Amino acid sequence: TGEYGLAVAQYTHCIALLPPDPKVVDPKSSGDDHTFLRAVLYCNRSAAFSRLKSWQSALADAERAVVAKEDFAKAHCRLGTAMLGCGQNEKAYVEFARALVLEANDAAALRGRQACISLLPFWTSHAARRRQRERFSMDLARPVGSTKVYAISDVHFDHKCNEEWAHRIDDFKFQEDVLIVAGNMCDTGNALRRGLTTLRSKFRRVFYVPGNHEHWIHPSESSKYADSFSKMVGLLEICDEVGVDVSPAAVCQGMFVVPMFSWYSAEFDTADPFPDPNSKVDQHCRWPIPDTQVWKYMMKLNNVHLAHPYHGTVISFSHFVPNSALPYPTFGTQVKFMGCDQLDEQVRGLNGSERVHVYGHSSRRHHEKIGGVTYVNHYHGEDGGKNDRAPLLLVHDGARVCSRTEDIYDGPRRL
């Protein structure tokens, strides 16, 4: 009948007749005899508030429904709807994906997840806009020549030797400088938080994009992340919390750093440009879209950032190899999982008088200029930290583009 205000009143009356939710007092409580009814009532009132476009009220009720019954797919679906209304597109995706884990064929959750997949590349959520508003121009007036930019990839912080290596980086030497981390920082969200927190304490700013390892759903995270896009959202939230940049920003006058999401395409293998049906590479990833389409979606995530009016020196970076003319392993079918030539079109679409692109993944350290773009790879690797002073790569010394290694600390050897 469209009498949503009356529906809100009736559900409010019913909720008032229920005893207090024991889970509000003790989150570990198993609930009471009214758990399911309580979740349904909050879900329905949330739906009525959504119809009235009272999104904050809808959000609050949906959250109460999830607290009341965590394994209720409709509660997560209502929460996703309310989050979309509140401009929390990334978080909404997580809730719809969780609903589909609980009920794989839920039509509303499928529609909601698809809506989020369509919206994410526009970066219109409150979190994305705040990230852009607060961080893009914070160093725009910083004097020319005041910033050095270092790069590294494939740190694998969850290996003990590399965690120890990160802690050995001098606490003061790089405090005015910028570090680019081109993916494969670690496998789990908890390790990423520890690793980026450590690096952030050593540098003025840290820029990061995830690699393939970060998109794996580790067994310890299977209950936390519904799929690899949900984990990606979680990684971005971690970066926001620890103050690490995942979107473009000026680092001083006339110098910009541009993170670029990426994935590999089988077409990178020009001799056999078809996916390997027997491959188990990245089998721990769970994508809500076909595996062969992931690279296209990752490139869509870059489109908004490519439109910025960059000038001067532009340092972009990705995890995967952007150009098949660069070196990479060719054993077996490895080339199919190395990179994406279409990514290079985005790299070359960036304006700038000097252009540098940092990449990782290939396990080949390299420096080469091709068609006006300088490509650099400073692969660290799973055993990189066994070298006590395993260096960083300086890609801009404040005056010009360069490519030279620099020890992570000076003086006598540290234990």
Side-chain angles (χ1 to χ4, degrees):
T1 62
E3 295 180 347
Y4 300 115
L6 178 60
V8 167
Q10 294 289 355
Y11 290 131
T12 301
H13 177 72
C14 293
I15 291 169
L17 296 176
L18 294 175
D21 186 352
K23 289 187 177 181
V24 174
V25 179
D26 179 12
K28 295 182 180 179
S29 170
S30 59
D32 57 17
D33 293 339
H34 307 288
T35 292
F36 182 66
L37 175 59
R38 183 179 292 111
V40 169
L41 290 172
Y42 277 124
C43 269
N44 290 351
R45 192 170 72 172
S46 176
F49 276 131
S50 292
R51 290 287 189 172
L52 294 168
K53 300 192 185 302
S54 182
W55 297 115
Q56 291 297 332
S57 297
L59 179 65
D61 273 0
E63 288 175 338
R64 294 186 185 105
V66 170
V67 170
K69 191 166 177 58
E70 169 64 28
D71 60 353
F72 188 26
K74 182 175 284 188
H76 290 279
C77 197
R78 297 297 189 212
L79 182 53
T81 301
M83 285 176 165
L84 274 178
C86 291
Q88 300 177 20
N89 303 342
E90 291 90 349
K91 290 183 177 181
Y93 177 89
V94 172
E95 295 304 324
F96 288 125
R98 177 57 58 193
L100 288 167
V101 169
L102 298 169
E103 196 169 322
N105 297 316
D106 186 285
L110 285 167
R111 289 194 303 270
R113 186 182 70 176
Q114 188 57 45
C116 291
I117 288 174
S118 299
L119 288 170
L120 291 182
F122 295 100
W123 299 111
T124 55
S125 70
H126 293 320
R129 286 177 172 174
R130 182 175 61 252
R131 193 181 299 138
Q132 190 69 11
R133 182 177 63 250
E134 294 178 358
R135 304 192 69 83
F136 181 81
S137 59
M138 62 185 290
D139 287 329
L140 198 56
R142 191 176 177 87
V144 174
S146 63
T147 298
K148 294 180 181 179
V149 180
Y150 293 85
I152 196 166
S153 76
D154 300 85
V155 173
H156 295 287
F157 185 85
D158 35 16
H159 289 244
K160 183 180 179 182
C161 66
N162 291 326
E163 181 168 1
E164 292 173 345
W165 168 85
H167 284 287
R168 285 198 298 271
I169 298 174
D170 194 278
D171 290 329
F172 305 102
K173 182 177 180 179
F174 305 103
Q175 283 297 323
E176 294 299 312
D177 303 326
V178 170
L179 177 66
I180 288 171
V181 182
N184 278 9
M185 182 70 191
C186 54
D187 294 358
T188 67
N190 287 336
L192 183 74
R193 184 184 297 276
R194 297 197 325 272
L196 291 181
T197 298
T198 300
L199 294 178
R200 181 67 184 84
S201 70
K202 312 287 186 176
F203 290 83
R204 177 167 63 84
R205 293 182 79 165
V206 174
F207 288 78
Y208 162 79
V209 289
N212 53 316
H213 279 241
E214 287 94 337
H215 287 103
W216 292 357
I217 306 297
H218 191 272
S220 65
E221 300 178 314
S222 59
S223 62
K224 184 174 184 180
Y225 301 119
D227 60 27
S228 293
F229 279 168
S230 293
K231 186 172 182 182
M232 182 175 71
V233 170
L235 300 179
L236 298 182
E237 290 178 351
I238 289 170
C239 290
D240 287 341
E241 291 167 13
V242 302
V244 166
D245 290 281
V246 291
S247 58
V251 293
C252 68
Q253 293 179 28
M255 190 189 305
F256 298 84
V257 175
V258 184
M260 302 181 76
F261 292 90
S262 62
W263 200 253
Y264 48 77
S265 167
E267 296 173 12
F268 201 69
D269 181 1
T270 55
D272 179 27
F274 302 99
D276 179 0
N278 300 314
S279 172
K280 293 186 178 180
V281 173
D282 293 323
Q283 61 182 315
H284 299 300
C285 292
R286 301 177 193 164
W287 300 110
I289 58 178
D291 291 358
T292 55
Q293 300 300 307
V294 174
W295 69 270
K296 294 181 181 179
Y297 191 79
M298 291 296 184
M299 288 184 63
K300 284 184 178 180
L301 294 175
N302 299 329
N303 284 341
V304 169
H305 298 154
L306 298 178
H308 289 302
Y310 305 111
H311 59 276
T313 301
V314 178
I315 305 174
S316 57
F317 69 102
S318 63
H319 177 64
F320 290 98
V321 184
N323 190 316
S324 55
L326 297 166
Y328 50 82
T330 57
F331 177 77
T333 61
Q334 288 188 67
V335 62
K336 296 182 184 296
F337 313 101
M338 277 295 119
C340 177
D341 274 317
Q342 290 84 349
L343 180 64
D344 202 41
E345 296 175 13
Q346 292 190 328
V347 172
R348 293 177 176 279
L350 296 168
N351 294 322
S353 57
E354 281 188 302
R355 289 175 296 172
V356 179
H357 188 80
V358 178
Y359 66 98
H361 191 66
S362 68
S363 72
R364 302 286 194 271
R365 292 187 177 183
H366 190 65
H367 172 269
E368 181 179 1
K369 192 167 186 176
I370 303 175
V373 178
T374 301
Y375 298 90
V376 292
N377 181 321
H378 190 67
Y379 180 89
H380 183 74
E382 294 179 355
D383 296 326
K386 291 181 179 179
N387 174 359
D388 180 64
R389 299 176 190 263
L392 300 167
L393 182 69
L394 181 64
V395 297
H396 200 285
D397 63 7
R400 62 187 62 83
V401 171
C402 60
S403 179
R404 66 174 185 267
T405 57
E406 193 164 320
D407 287 346
I408 58 171
Y409 68 87
D410 301 321
R413 183 177 185 273
R414 298 182 180 180
L415 299 178

